[in-house]
Amino acid sequence: MTFYVSTPIYYVNGAPHIGHAYTTMVADAMARYYRQAGHDVFFQTGTDEHGLKVQREAEKQGITPQQLADNNSSLFAKLFEELEITHDRFIRTTEEAHHKVVTEVVNRMKANDDIYLDRYAGWYASSDEAFYGEDEIEDGKAIATGANVEWVEEESYFFRLSKYQEPLLKYYKENPSALLPDVRRNEVIAFLEGGLRDLSISRTTFDWGIRFPGDEKHVLYVWVDALTNYITGVDAFQDNGRYDKFWPCDCHLIGKDILRFHAVYWPAFLLSAGLEPPKQIFAHGWWLNEGEKMSKSKGNFLDAFALAKDYPLDVLRYYLMREVPFGNDGNFVQARLIERNNSELADNVGNLVNRTLKMAQRFLSGACPAFEETSAEEDVAIRKQAVETRDAIAAHMEAREPHKALEVLMAFSGNLNQYVHHSQPWALNKQGNTERLKQVLYHALEGIRWVGVLGHAFLPNATSHLLKGLGAEDVVAAAALSTVDKFGGLQEGTTITPPDVLFHKLELPKEEGEEQEQEKEAKKSNKKDKGNKKEKEKKSEGEEAKAGVITYDRFMDVEIHVGLILTAENIKKSDKLLQLTVDVGEENPRPIVAGIALSFAPEDLVNQRIAVVTNLKPAKIFGRRSEGMLLAAETTDGKLELARYSEAVAPGTRIR
Ligand code: MSP
């Protein structure tokens, strides 16, 4: 089976930003996934180098358009290298091979009597490289995009787009999965139903582009040139078999900004040239930067290189693919990325891998035990969930829902975490119950292997370390989906080596302004009152306390985590105290003595998820060591209530 996925080719009039990185990362995850599934994948990305927009930017910079294209195209290529994108081809529209394919497509359109010469008089927006009708502009701008428009009047070749209104309507109605998500298909269908105007496809007033075949005066409209990249990439009109193998494309991933070009013009051009339309176009949403639309004038583009430098690649991929349902708009918020990294990647997956592999190393000398088809309810559940997770991920990837694939993956990892908590391998080890210890650790290790394989397309680096920790020598082979055809693939005797921390916790950097303010304040007080520093500090702490405020840093000094109560029992001779053991996401649960016996029976506490302060100095209470404090509130009638969390929150998750 083959699978062809493409990204748009990016304009070379500027440097890459988050939007470009986003589409390419999602396409990369798809390409990796289908490779894991055993498909022969072709993944293409590249740069769109012709057109008025590029010519004007080059003029502004005082260089030739070709120089501008060379400079910026190599920036995109470099970015994709840094992002470890696994494309098979990086295409440039200034390549000779592309020139030939475009010329052939136009000649075929001509032969099909779909092109005629006329005069164009209308509006054009060079930043969109798009023509607009009177009804689509307001105050000199395109309503849809806000781009400035200019009046153009010149001789032009036209493509008979109107002829394709009916065939396209029929195509989308008969093939709903050819255009996703549904909302975009409906939009395109409504547009098609409104009727199509023929399209001007050549210009005579600038020259940075491919010449119109047979009329050198004209330069081809950049979208005819750009869209054709998708078939140049698979060697259209050559006899090497690649075109027949990969075309029609399985999925053109695009942003919703370029929907009409892809969903209306492109299939019409192909039909006119006697070629098949793509199998699918998927238009995703738009990213905002901390709530704001990114624009040149605001200078708030999230630079893709900076993102690649600031965050581990897996974390960036995870955040972008998990944060928004694919297709919807998203809002890039650094604090959210950090939160997802800390509580989902580090606390859930990282913690699971770290403690399970360490236990296997310590309790079983790092040798994987044998798989047994045990009948314990919780073991059966893990085996069932593994298979269900695999199948759900396959279905979500087919439906182009990477966010859901990640959601089920994380849920499975969370379940494995709980399985470890409940099964308490550390206690089994202590009791010398080796048989059960081996069964439990096998299920946990094999479950982790499934997380590694099923998460590999999204988190390639972390899962590679994970799989190596489970003995994989060749990660590509170890990540094949065929290795998770049934539970129990991890071989007895495999050497288990805990990897280095998979996901480090991240912190929000101090805002530049905040630091400067603090410095300014410090300087001011220094000048005013040099000799009295200590007094001053005391005073300002006092003032802070009086005002009832503390800094964020002071709050963050207190570590509060979700704790799962594993055991609870009364302490003899004490009415008020209970002895608890609480799992706060560490290798061993903590003993905690809590003064809550008047409000709770011990059995009501077991399995509850509560809030625990974990960095208080350990205390001796009633002769027993206590390594944490529970958070509780008093009811109006003097009883205590605990802050509780549902099962959706894994033990060890930080509360902030
Ligand atoms: N050159 C054309 C595409 C030709 S394809 C035959 C073009 N290039 S572009 O450089 O402007 O890139 C557009 C694509 O970049 C969008 O379709 C989308 O894939 C991505 N994004 C650009 N900005 C974006 C956001 N703010 N958010 C998400 N993706 C966006 O149009």
Side-chain angles (χ1 to χ4, degrees):
M1 286 254 268
T2 60
F3 186 77
Y4 176 9
V5 59
S6 67
T7 74
I9 46 170
Y10 304 110
Y11 284 130
V12 287
N13 64 316
H17 59 74
I18 184 178
H20 306 123
Y22 176 58
T23 320
T24 317
M25 278 183 181
V26 180
D28 183 65
M30 281 172 62
R32 285 178 189 256
Y33 181 82
Y34 280 91
R35 282 187 204 116
Q36 281 184 267
H39 287 61
D40 192 347
V41 170
F42 180 65
F43 167 19
Q44 175 161 290
T45 185
T47 43
D48 185 355
E49 307 189 358
H50 291 132
L52 187 56
K53 173 164 159 153
V54 172
Q55 177 164 325
R56 285 196 176 150
E57 180 61 30
E59 280 160 11
K60 220 162 85 189
Q61 295 188 20
I63 53 178
T64 65
Q66 186 65 58
Q67 276 166 339
L68 179 71
D70 290 346
N71 295 345
N72 282 333
S73 180
S74 63
L75 274 187
F76 278 94
K78 184 160 172 284
L79 173 72
F80 298 156
E81 205 180 303
E82 283 188 23
L83 294 177
E84 295 175 22
I85 300 298
T86 60
H87 50 281
D88 298 289
R89 177 150 184 193
F90 184 99
I91 196 166
R92 300 184 55 182
T93 51
T94 47
E95 285 170 26
E96 188 53 37
H98 180 62
H99 203 116
K100 284 193 185 140
V101 175
V102 173
T103 306
E104 175 64 18
V105 166
V106 177
N107 281 334
R108 284 171 167 233
M109 292 170 168
K110 273 192 197 163
N112 204 15
D113 190 28
D114 279 342
I115 287 178
Y116 60 92
L117 188 62
D118 203 340
R119 273 191 81 73
Y120 179 77
W123 298 102
Y124 192 76
S126 71
S127 63
D128 299 338
E129 297 282 17
F131 299 95
Y132 289 103
E134 280 299 340
D135 52 334
E136 292 174 306
I137 61 158
E138 201 174 75
D139 297 334
K141 290 188 192 310
I143 298 170
T145 62
N148 289 328
V149 292
E150 59 197 296
W151 185 256
V152 171
E153 224 178 307
E154 59 188 297
E155 183 186 84
S156 173
Y157 284 95
F158 280 75
F159 171 70
R160 288 188 210 282
L161 188 61
S162 52
K163 186 171 138 186
Y164 293 92
Q165 175 189 1
E166 282 310 320
L168 288 178
L169 270 172
K170 188 165 172 276
Y171 182 65
Y172 288 126
K173 286 185 177 161
E174 283 172 5
N175 301 284
S177 68
L179 184 47
L180 294 175
D182 295 351
V183 57
R184 302 292 162 225
R185 184 175 56 259
N186 295 339
E187 213 175 288
V188 166
I189 289 181
F191 176 74
L192 288 169
E193 280 169 346
L196 293 177
R197 279 191 289 256
D198 287 350
L199 181 70
S200 159
I201 56 159
S202 76
R203 301 284 302 273
T204 53
T205 45
F206 74 97
D207 62 4
W208 180 237
I210 296 177
R211 299 279 152 193
F212 192 87
D215 192 345
E216 289 285 300
K217 238 180 31 246
H218 288 252
V219 164
L220 249 184
Y221 177 36
V222 67
W223 275 100
V224 179
D225 164 349
L227 288 160
T228 304
N229 91 84
Y230 298 127
I231 57 170
T232 304
V234 289
D235 299 342
F237 313 127
Q238 294 182 37
D239 321 315
N240 60 16
R242 291 190 68 243
Y243 176 86
D244 292 334
K245 182 170 171 190
F246 289 110
W247 194 260
C249 181
D250 295 271
C251 185
H252 286 318
L253 274 190
I254 59 166
K256 66 179 184 182
D257 52 321
I258 50 177
L259 178 65
R260 202 177 287 180
F261 303 102
H262 280 80
V264 179
Y265 300 176
W266 179 225
F269 295 162
L270 286 164
L271 290 175
S272 168
L275 304 172
E276 268 186 88
K279 278 191 213 148
Q280 185 176 75
I281 296 163
F282 188 103
H284 65 68
W286 208 239
W287 280 95
L288 303 178
N289 179 4
E290 308 273 343
E292 287 200 349
K293 192 165 184 220
M294 292 180 282
S295 71
K296 262 196 178 164
S297 55
K298 283 195 198 134
N300 63 344
F301 276 110
L302 279 163
D303 172 61
F305 286 103
L307 288 170
K309 195 166 120 282
D310 289 348
Y311 307 109
L313 282 186
D314 284 3
V315 176
L316 191 59
R317 287 167 79 100
Y318 179 75
Y319 172 69
L320 292 175
M321 286 188 245
R322 176 73 186 89
E323 182 73 358
V324 285
F326 195 48
N328 290 9
D329 289 343
N331 185 14
F332 188 94
V333 177
Q334 194 183 21
R336 289 283 300 147
L337 178 148
I338 291 176
E339 204 175 305
R340 283 200 183 272
N341 172 71
N342 294 357
S343 64
E344 295 169 30
L345 294 176
D347 285 343
N348 182 348
V349 183
N351 179 36
L352 170 73
V353 172
N354 180 42
R355 64 181 186 154
T356 310
L357 272 68
K358 274 198 178 139
M359 284 191 279
Q361 194 179 45
R362 287 218 343 243
F363 304 157
L364 304 175
S365 310
C368 180
F371 172 56
E372 282 177 61
E373 195 123 5
T374 44
S375 54
E377 211 179 296
E378 60 272 29
D379 298 5
V380 176
I382 286 295
R383 299 200 293 265
K384 189 163 162 266
Q385 283 158 10
V387 171
E388 284 169 0
T389 305
R390 178 199 61 201
D391 295 346
I393 289 178
H396 293 319
M397 290 308 278
E398 277 295 307
R400 316 295 178 232
E401 296 173 328
H403 58 290
K404 287 199 184 161
L406 282 171
E407 191 182 325
V408 297
L409 180 75
M410 286 296 139
F412 179 50
S413 172
N415 288 338
L416 284 167
N417 252 323
Q418 283 184 21
Y419 171 80
V420 173
H421 299 309
H422 288 299
S423 317
Q424 303 190 33
W426 50 88
L428 296 170
N429 181 54
K430 229 184 203 158
Q431 294 152 10
N433 188 350
T434 318
E435 199 189 326
R436 184 63 191 142
L437 173 69
K438 285 183 172 174
Q439 292 169 351
V440 167
L441 283 183
Y442 186 88
H443 278 76
L445 291 168
E446 171 69 348
I448 288 174
R449 188 179 71 83
W450 282 53
V451 169
V453 172
L454 297 173
H456 190 61
F458 309 97
L459 306 166
N461 292 329
T463 54
S464 295
H465 293 305
L466 182 168
L467 291 169
K468 282 185 194 153
L470 295 178
E473 277 162 22
D474 172 355
V475 171
V476 173
L481 289 185
S482 56
T483 67
V484 291
D485 61 342
K486 61 180 195 298
F487 198 90
L490 193 59
Q491 293 301 305
E492 180 181 8
T494 303
T495 307
I496 308 295
T497 333
D500 289 341
V501 177
L502 291 185
F503 302 101
H504 288 277
K505 295 259 175 120
L506 301 173
E507 275 186 23
L508 259 185
K510 274 214 178 85
E511 299 235 343
E512 249 174 58
E514 208 179 293
E515 266 172 20
Q516 282 167 359
E517 268 311 301
Q518 280 170 3
E519 265 172 39
K520 251 201 257 160
E521 281 298 316
K523 272 191 193 148
K524 242 200 289 181
S525 63
N526 248 353
K527 252 191 213 162
K528 266 196 198 158
D529 196 352
K530 259 192 188 162
N532 230 347
K533 203 172 159 230
K534 272 206 174 137
E535 265 303 298
K536 184 110 203 177
E537 268 172 16
K538 250 197 215 156
K539 208 170 145 205
S540 82
E541 263 180 32
E543 274 165 8
E544 198 181 77
K546 240 191 273 164
V549 288
I550 56 167
T551 60
Y552 180 73
D553 286 352
R554 283 190 65 191
F555 166 67
M556 287 304 282
D557 286 344
V558 183
E559 291 217 15
I560 312 174
H561 292 262
V562 173
L564 175 70
I565 302 181
L566 302 174
T567 63
E569 55 195 45
N570 288 307
I571 295 181
K572 267 189 203 149
K573 293 196 188 142
S574 166
D575 317 331
K576 286 194 187 150
L577 297 176
L578 288 183
Q579 171 74 60
L580 312 174
T581 46
V582 183
D583 176 355
V584 289
E586 297 161 344
E587 191 183 340
N588 294 315
R590 292 193 184 198
I592 295 181
V593 179
I596 54 174
L598 297 178
S599 303
F600 301 97
E603 57 274 21
D604 295 338
L605 290 171
V606 175
N607 280 333
Q608 295 296 318
R609 279 152 210 256
I610 49 151
V612 184
V613 180
T614 53
N615 63 343
L616 270 185
K617 211 171 142 199
K620 266 226 159 126
I621 305 174
F622 228 68
R624 292 158 186 252
R625 189 176 160 83
S626 181
E627 297 178 4
M629 187 178 85
L630 316 190
L631 294 188
E634 213 172 281
T635 61
T636 43
D637 53 4
K639 289 243 168 190
L640 292 176
E641 268 193 23
L642 293 168
R644 296 189 201 215
Y645 285 87
S646 74
E647 288 202 351
V649 191
T653 306
R654 184 150 184 197
I655 302 171
R656 50 180 100 213

